[in-house]
Amino acid sequence: MEPPVTDTVAGPEGQLPDGLAVEVVGGPDAGAIAALDTGTVVIGKGADCDLVLSDPAVSRRHLAISVTSERIEVRDLGSKNGSFYLGARFESIQVAPGSQIQLGATQLAIVTSADRARPLHPEPRFGRLLGESAVMRRLFATLARLAPLDSGILLGGETGTGKDLAAQAVHAASRRAGGPFVVCDLGAVPPGLIEAELFGAVRGAYTGADRDRAGVFEHADGGTLFLDEIGELALELQPRLLRLLETSSVRRLGDAAYRRFDVRVIAASNRDLTAEVEAGRFRRDLFHRLAVAEVHMPPLRERVADIPILVDGILAELGGARPAVPADTIAALSAYSWPGNVRQLRNVLERALAVDPSGGAIAREALGLDSRPHDDLAGADPAVPFHEAKDRLLHRWERSYLTGLLERAGGNIAQAARTAGIDRAHLYRLLHKHGLQR
């Protein structure tokens, strides 16, 4: 049976940047790199390849990457185990800088000279975050650089990617490590109580307020406040939060006095807040106040080479008898699309341990994963929380729409934006989000 061919992915409009390369960002040959000059680079296990890999799942001549001044074409050379882009097997696709390709346990990335100039963190961890892939070690280096600066950080990324762990790690590496780390999940607070949760309240300020209550900013004084799901904050409350951040003072509900505080704010959202700003659902000035530094947490499907170290770390945290994890179990975990990301991986391992708590080897059958991990409805897995499943399906629909839009417009961004009824800046951001544009 012939492997399916993904839709063509249009490259960027105009000239490609100089200094392109293909880098192994995950797998046994992580760190290996080959320049992508005009022409073709062949990748595989054969000694005659331009980039030689040791991954046993890679064929002798597995993949070819051809570059012209305007496009990057990636072709599978009839490999035994296939080549995958965003979970879909392909024969030939066009990609943009930043795209990642999976061959067996090996993850390749099309990188620019600017990407290669970014340092790698010396350790495969930052706080409780784990990852041996280059994409995660660059993320760790960024977080380590931001930690002592005391500026605000906005963490983006899908649900379950570890935004809370990133915030904890930054706090622990900052000058505020001796102060409190306070979490406020705005998505979990009932709408009628959000004001009291944020700002505090005095006795009698509202029905049920039987005592004075400090808000999260007061609780976090001298430390770090993690505002999770900031995109859920009602538009009418956003000006109040902005004033609070600008003045470093808060007035409790029903009170006349202002209280000063010294807090570093790290915010997070699984929504595209830039798109929310464009749609008028999030204030632009508040966005810029929160996103002094903006960091994106990659989904697990884009760093499957990290699954072995994640499995080891999760099993160590769960404690108890330490089971063996056979190679075919790791292979099954690596083949899955992970709509719920690392959080879902943890849940799967906990469930597998519950099936056999004796500490014996975890069989792939105990994982309970869909045997068709790349099916278009993989995001509808009923083992995944509703919002995670919905976000995954919307992500796939959005990417499919953008791919078809570019194909119809022949890669012309201006024409694609007119067809879609959005401005070019918004379209560029969407294309970048889905790896369809540099």
Side-chain angles (χ1 to χ4, degrees):
M1 178 178 174
E2 290 295 317
V5 182
T6 60
D7 291 334
T8 296
V9 180
E13 185 181 51
Q15 296 290 309
L16 290 168
D18 294 328
L20 284 175
V22 55
E23 181 181 3
V24 182
V25 296
D29 303 291
I33 195 165
L36 289 176
D37 301 318
T38 300
T40 299
V41 167
V42 176
I43 300 169
K45 285 196 301 185
D48 58 337
C49 292
D50 301 290
L51 180 60
V52 180
L53 302 177
S54 61
D55 185 345
V58 170
S59 297
R60 191 182 71 82
R61 290 172 60 85
H62 195 113
L63 192 77
I65 303 177
S66 300
V67 179
T68 69
S69 61
E70 296 182 349
R71 66 177 56 191
I72 306 168
E73 182 183 6
V74 184
R75 291 178 291 113
D76 184 271
L77 299 177
S79 67
K80 178 180 178 181
N81 295 314
S83 304
F84 295 85
Y85 178 71
L86 292 178
R89 189 171 181 174
F90 67 86
E91 287 180 337
S92 178
I93 58 172
Q94 292 176 37
V95 298
S99 299
Q100 298 193 15
I101 307 294
Q102 192 75 31
L103 320 176
T106 297
Q107 196 164 18
L108 305 173
I110 309 298
V111 298
T112 65
S113 54
D115 294 326
R116 291 152 62 189
R118 293 169 56 200
L120 297 180
H121 194 63
E123 300 293 331
R125 64 180 64 240
F126 185 67
R128 291 173 58 205
L129 290 170
L130 297 173
E132 294 179 314
S133 62
V135 66
M136 287 305 289
R137 289 177 63 188
R138 286 194 176 106
L139 172 68
F140 299 161
T142 297
L143 294 175
R145 177 177 55 82
L146 293 173
L149 300 182
D150 212 33
S151 55
I153 300 174
L154 177 62
L155 299 170
E158 298 176 12
T159 300
T161 50
K163 296 186 290 290
D164 54 339
L165 298 184
Q168 289 177 30
V170 168
H171 171 72
S174 75
R175 67 176 182 83
R176 298 175 177 271
F181 178 76
V182 176
V183 178
C184 177
D185 184 351
L186 293 171
V189 180
L193 296 179
I194 285 182
E195 282 188 276
E197 182 74 12
L198 286 174
F199 313 123
V202 299
R203 182 179 177 181
Y206 57 89
T207 304
D210 55 357
R211 58 183 175 82
D212 289 354
R213 173 183 177 182
V216 291
F217 283 89
E218 290 182 71
H219 283 304
D221 188 33
T224 302
L225 174 61
F226 178 48
L227 291 176
D228 200 6
E229 301 303 344
I230 188 68
E232 303 300 319
L233 185 64
L235 191 60
E236 60 268 20
L237 291 180
Q238 292 175 23
R240 239 194 116 177
L241 176 60
L242 178 62
R243 285 194 299 272
L244 179 152
L245 293 173
E246 290 179 335
T247 62
S248 295
S249 61
V250 62
R251 180 169 62 86
R252 295 178 181 179
L253 295 178
D255 199 0
Y258 281 85
R259 293 170 167 82
R260 300 284 298 176
F261 60 82
D262 174 25
V263 169
R264 180 187 197 171
V265 175
I266 300 176
S269 178
N270 62 1
R271 296 188 183 190
D272 181 351
L273 286 191
T274 304
E276 294 294 294
V277 169
E278 296 291 342
R281 292 187 292 266
F282 201 86
R283 288 181 63 106
R284 189 179 301 274
D285 47 7
L286 178 57
F287 172 81
H288 290 305
R289 184 66 180 78
L290 293 169
V292 176
E294 196 170 358
V295 177
H296 179 75
M297 304 294 294
L300 183 53
R301 66 183 174 276
E302 292 182 4
R303 59 181 191 105
V304 294
D306 287 332
I307 282 179
I309 191 174
L310 288 169
V311 169
D312 285 346
I314 291 170
L315 292 178
E317 284 189 357
L318 293 177
R322 185 68 174 273
V325 185
D328 64 336
T329 300
I330 291 292
L333 292 170
S334 300
Y336 191 65
S337 57
W338 298 110
N341 294 296
V342 180
R343 183 179 299 160
Q344 185 190 7
L345 173 62
R346 185 184 183 93
N347 292 341
V348 165
L349 292 175
E350 286 183 331
R351 185 169 61 237
L353 290 179
V355 170
D356 181 9
S358 67
I362 298 178
R364 62 183 301 163
E365 293 77 19
L367 300 174
L369 297 177
D370 188 340
S371 61
R372 295 169 295 135
H374 303 304
D375 188 280
D376 284 342
L377 294 179
D381 184 351
V384 178
F386 171 78
H387 290 293
E388 293 179 10
K390 184 177 75 170
D391 287 346
R392 178 65 181 132
L393 286 173
L394 286 174
H395 180 91
R396 289 191 173 202
W397 172 86
E398 192 174 82
R399 188 180 187 286
S400 176
Y401 175 84
L402 292 170
T403 300
L405 179 69
L406 282 177
E407 192 173 67
R408 179 176 178 179
N412 186 303
I413 300 297
Q415 181 181 332
R418 286 193 297 271
T419 301
I422 58 179
D423 62 56
R424 279 197 288 178
H426 187 192
L427 179 57
Y428 271 116
R429 284 191 289 270
L430 289 173
L431 295 175
H432 180 77
K433 169 185 172 184
H434 290 275
L436 302 179
Q437 178 73 24
R438 61 175 177 176

